[in-house]
């Protein structure tokens, strides 16, 4: 999902371990330098995919991954959108606004910028609507896949 190898390995280890692990445990299990483990854990916590958990009687930090796959995928999708799609939409809005007031920019260029912004805005609205669905309905929608188009007006049944 767009992270480096060690971040992905640490996330996989924590997700599959079934119990909280210390940075030392992670370093030993994966053969990754302790400093790399620390940086990778910070990145995973920044994505809200890993959290620190207290272990009674142990002063060391322990870490566990989000175990709910639906929540995990949702957080990754939200993070990717914030890092990649949102800045594109902001840039398209700025570019279109500037193009509309610049006579050197041709009609076709403005039209294409507007189409790109319309497409990304539509995808963003769809994404927000999908995120708002109850999990049961989202599962049903995913199972239906392309069949859901059959209920749209003009579709052949």
């Amino acid at each position: 999902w767009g992270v480096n190898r060690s971040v992905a390995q640490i996330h996989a280890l924590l997700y599959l371990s079934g119990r909280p692990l210390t940075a030392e445990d992670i370093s030993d299990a994966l053969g990754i330098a302790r400093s790399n483990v620390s940086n990778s854990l910070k990145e995973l916590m920044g994505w809200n995919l890993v959290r620190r958990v207290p272990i009674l009687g142990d002063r060391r930090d322990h870490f566990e991954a989000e175990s709910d796959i639906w929540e995990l995928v949702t957080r990754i999708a939200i993070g990717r959108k914030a890092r990649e799609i949102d800045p594109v939409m902001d840039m398209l809005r700025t570019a279109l606004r500037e193009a509309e007031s610049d006579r050197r920019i041709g009609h076709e260029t403005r039209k294409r910028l507007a189409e790109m912004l319309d497409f990304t805005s539509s995808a963003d609205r769809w994404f927000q609507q999908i995120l708002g669905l109850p999990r049961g309905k989202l599962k049903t929608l995913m199972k239906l896949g392309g069949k859901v188009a059959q209920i749209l007006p003009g579709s052949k049944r």
Side-chain angles (χ1 to χ4, degrees), residues 92 96 112-125:
L92 284 169
L96 185 58
R112 289 181 185 186
L113 285 170
E115 288 172 349
M116 289 173 69
L117 179 57
D118 182 58
F119 176 82
T120 53
S121 296
S122 294
D124 183 55
R125 279 189 303 277

Side-chain angles (χ1 to χ4, degrees), residues 26-41:
I26 296 166
S27 179
D28 292 343
L30 298 175
I32 296 174
R34 177 69 172 78
S35 60
N36 193 359
V37 169
S38 292
N39 290 331
S40 297
L41 286 168

Side-chain angles (χ1 to χ4, degrees), residues 4-75:
N4 70 44
R5 180 183 174 106
S6 58
V7 172
Q9 288 176 317
I10 291 168
H11 187 234
L13 177 64
L14 288 171
Y15 180 75
L16 297 174
S17 74
R19 66 180 176 86
L21 300 174
T22 65
E24 293 81 16
D25 295 335
I26 296 166
S27 179
D28 292 343
L30 298 175
I32 296 174
R34 177 69 172 78
S35 60
N36 193 359
V37 169
S38 292
N39 290 331
S40 297
L41 286 168
K42 285 178 189 172
E43 183 170 348
L44 288 164
M45 286 188 291
W47 281 85
N48 199 23
L49 300 175
V50 167
R51 61 189 159 268
R52 280 189 182 92
V53 293
I55 301 294
L56 191 61
D58 192 340
R59 293 175 43 172
R60 298 176 297 171
D61 286 333
H62 289 73
F63 302 89
E64 69 180 4
E66 173 60 55
S67 60
D68 181 315
I69 190 64
W70 287 89
E71 186 63 30
L72 177 72
V73 170
T74 298
R75 290 178 187 178

Side-chain angles (χ1 to χ4, degrees), residues 70 130-144:
W70 287 89
I130 293 297
L131 282 181
L133 290 176
R135 189 175 290 176
K137 288 190 180 207
L138 182 56
K139 286 180 180 182
T140 301
L141 183 60
M142 288 178 68
K143 287 178 184 174
L144 284 171

